Amino acid sequence: MKVAVIGSGLGGMLSAAILSEKGFEIDVFEKLPFIGGRFTNIEYKGFQLSTGALHMVPHGSRGPLAKLLRRAGAKVEIVDSKPAGEALYKGRRTEIRKKKFPLKSRLNFIKWCLKSRFREVKISEFENDLDDFSRGFLRAFLGWSLSITPDEAIFSKILPIYHQTVKCGGPGIPIGGCKSVIDALTEIVTSNDGRIRKRTGVKAIKPQDYGFSVYAGKDIKHYDIVISNIGHVETGKLLNNEYATHVEPSSGIKYSISLKEPFIGHTGVLFTFNTRRISGMNEVTNADPNLGKGHLLMAHQPVLTNNIRYEIAQGLKDLREILKGHEYEILAIQSYSDGWPVNRVKAGQDIGFETPYRNLYVVGDGAKGDDIEVEGIALGVERVIKRIEE
Ligand code: FAD
């Protein structure tokens, strides 16, 4: 069976690798000159910056992505973070543990869990019932992990993500950063005679009686199955069928910072509470020193207004305060929105992998399973593979 994969992001490459192992004939089409979409490295001044992700796998070696990579035979080493998370609260650093959250806030959490069974509850409603520390953590967690604010988050949709995060015990960092994951998947695809065509954008998909004609570059080829890694909206455009319209991406700004001396000093996330914008930071060189000559600190903020210059100014003010007294250089400020967002669909609003067409599926963010970021992408890919095999 012939499969066309549109886009070489994480979802596309996971699907391509697993199906190529199962004997499917794979063509991956990528419009850009590099493989990996928002999950690969960019080398700059001796540091491995990234096209998107903060070199973090949200549930580390115990999560769905790590499990799927092992199943696919991808050789990736993920270093689990220790501690999982720390808080920068009122100028002091403290490890995040259950007992840091007052009993009253924990009981209120249970109350809102029950309420959310009966009606749609926004996290902003629930946060008013929390103490300052718990509220600070909630805001920082949503901003760092999902690039959203409590106003944009539905309690019942975030709950499964929270439970998975607690169950898996924290994030991890792949040795070699995001690119090591993409390289391992590329190796599997090519070793199974799959083809990856860079600089070859797909212009149209035409459904046929059986299968699809795919217009890529100058060629038109027939495929039995199409897996699209470009989200429902863009897939609809290729079909000339705008079947998905109400899809809202999440935006964010990432700062890559070099330091001679470590600032965080461990492999976990430092959540920054009660700031203007910056929600958290990680220092990936503590897990893999080869990610930078010196230390590479990555900070992230959600975007709260339409004025990107203002947003960056707010983020930079935070960074100046947080890093006061430390010698550092900002290597890059990258802003993410629209067609290259943090998430193609805001957390909790994914619309599944099905399209109106049999044998045409969507993978990647925007078609995630019930989990966070790349873990959700892995669950979405698993569902598509299962459907193809049925
Ligand atoms: P994408 O990365 O969207 O790739 C799709 C590919 O399709 C692209 O290469 C594109 O060029 C190609 N394409 C588009 N149109 C066409 C066409 N017509 N023909 C051919 N090719 C086409 N997640 C985490 O788990 N951990 C993190 O630490 C993390 N941090 C993040 C920080 C930031 C700042 C950002 C932006 C994202 C972060 N994420 C993180 C999210 C994660 O990076 C993305 O969810 C993930 O990389 C998206 O993968 P995808 O499979 O949707 O593919």
Side-chain angles (χ1 to χ4, degrees):
M1 290 253 258
K2 286 185 170 183
V3 181
V5 178
I6 305 174
S8 69
L10 181 65
M13 291 306 291
L14 274 172
S15 312
I18 294 166
L19 289 174
S20 74
E21 279 286 286
K22 291 179 185 287
F24 288 80
E25 212 179 299
I26 305 290
D27 278 338
V28 179
F29 297 104
E30 170 54 58
K31 72 174 179 185
L32 295 177
F34 64 88
I35 302 172
R38 287 167 285 155
F39 206 75
T40 189
N41 301 6
I42 310 173
E43 192 166 349
Y44 182 67
K45 285 191 175 178
F47 289 84
Q48 295 296 328
L49 311 189
S50 79
T51 50
L54 297 140
H55 292 311
M56 277 216 135
V57 175
H59 303 327
S61 67
R62 296 169 289 259
L65 176 64
K67 283 186 191 148
L68 199 59
L69 288 171
R70 283 196 287 271
R71 255 180 55 199
K75 294 185 192 84
V76 178
E77 189 187 340
I78 298 175
V79 177
D80 287 325
S81 301
K82 226 172 166 187
E86 216 188 1
L88 181 63
Y89 178 61
K90 294 190 173 166
R92 298 181 66 172
R93 280 170 60 171
T94 165
E95 196 175 330
I96 297 172
R97 293 169 189 271
K98 201 172 170 187
K99 65 176 188 215
K100 295 270 173 202
F101 300 98
L103 182 63
K104 193 172 168 210
S105 288
R106 281 189 265 156
L107 290 174
N108 277 328
F109 174 69
I110 296 168
K111 181 181 90 182
W112 282 97
C113 283
L114 293 172
K115 276 194 188 185
S116 72
R117 289 190 177 186
F118 301 103
R119 68 173 176 90
E120 193 173 280
V121 172
K122 276 195 182 172
I123 299 246
S124 46
E125 276 183 75
F126 147 69
E127 72 165 347
N128 292 331
D129 266 359
L130 296 177
D131 64 289
D132 194 51
F133 184 89
S134 308
R135 194 178 318 115
F137 173 69
L138 185 67
R139 287 198 157 243
F141 177 81
L142 292 176
W144 163 263
S145 311
L146 303 167
S147 217
I148 54 174
T149 62
D151 263 341
E152 299 169 294
I154 306 297
F155 195 92
S156 60
K157 304 281 185 189
I158 303 300
L159 213 49
I161 292 176
Y162 168 77
H163 285 314
Q164 269 290 93
T165 305
V166 172
K167 191 176 129 199
C168 294
I173 296 167
I175 296 290
C178 303
K179 186 169 183 289
S180 68
V181 176
I182 296 297
D183 284 350
L185 296 171
T186 303
E187 199 182 310
I188 296 171
V189 175
T190 51
S191 69
N192 288 317
D193 296 329
R195 282 161 299 216
I196 305 172
R197 292 178 57 190
K198 292 184 261 185
R199 298 180 200 270
T200 310
V202 170
K203 294 178 209 132
I205 311 167
K206 297 238 162 89
Q208 305 296 345
D209 288 343
Y210 185 81
F212 304 87
S213 297
V214 172
Y215 295 63
K218 289 180 185 145
D219 299 336
I220 307 169
K221 279 175 82 178
H222 182 271
Y223 292 92
D224 306 297
I225 297 168
V226 173
I227 295 182
S228 171
N229 187 208
I230 64 174
H232 285 280
V233 174
E234 292 306 313
T235 305
K237 286 182 192 162
L238 295 182
L239 287 156
N240 224 352
N241 170 357
E242 300 201 355
Y243 68 88
T245 48
H246 297 293
V247 171
E248 229 185 294
S250 55
S251 310
I253 299 168
K254 183 180 75 187
Y255 303 82
S256 299
I257 301 157
S258 78
L259 296 128
K260 285 207 180 77
E261 299 298 324
F263 172 68
I264 295 183
H266 58 68
T267 51
V269 180
L270 179 67
F271 291 99
T272 50
F273 291 21
N274 302 334
T275 53
R276 297 169 188 84
R277 292 294 188 279
I278 300 291
S279 307
M281 32 179 64
N282 61 356
E283 202 165 58
V284 292
T285 33
N286 296 327
D288 179 1
N290 290 325
L291 290 173
K293 53 162 200 176
H295 286 273
L296 176 58
L297 183 70
M298 299 177 119
H300 184 76
Q301 68 167 84
V303 170
L304 308 191
T305 70
N306 290 329
N307 185 339
I308 288 294
R309 277 171 185 269
Y310 175 73
E311 291 296 315
I312 292 174
Q314 295 298 298
L316 289 174
K317 271 188 198 167
D318 282 339
L319 287 175
R320 277 195 290 276
E321 284 173 16
I322 295 167
L323 297 174
K324 199 171 168 191
H326 293 264
E327 209 183 309
Y328 66 93
E329 181 193 348
I330 298 196
L331 297 168
I333 302 173
Q334 293 160 280
S335 96
Y336 297 87
S337 61
D338 304 321
W340 202 263
V342 177
N343 274 305
R344 220 181 282 283
V345 176
K346 275 188 185 147
Q349 298 177 19
D350 294 77
I351 50 179
F353 64 82
E354 306 268 14
T355 71
Y357 303 89
R358 197 175 120 77
N359 286 336
L360 168 61
Y361 306 109
V362 174
V363 294
D365 65 358
K368 295 196 293 290
D370 281 345
D371 209 332
I372 189 170
E373 308 282 11
V374 295
E375 307 293 4
I377 291 179
L379 291 180
V381 168
E382 267 194 299
R383 285 179 196 173
V384 168
I385 305 285
K386 199 168 159 222
R387 171 61 58 84
I388 289 172
E389 289 185 315
E390 272 169 8

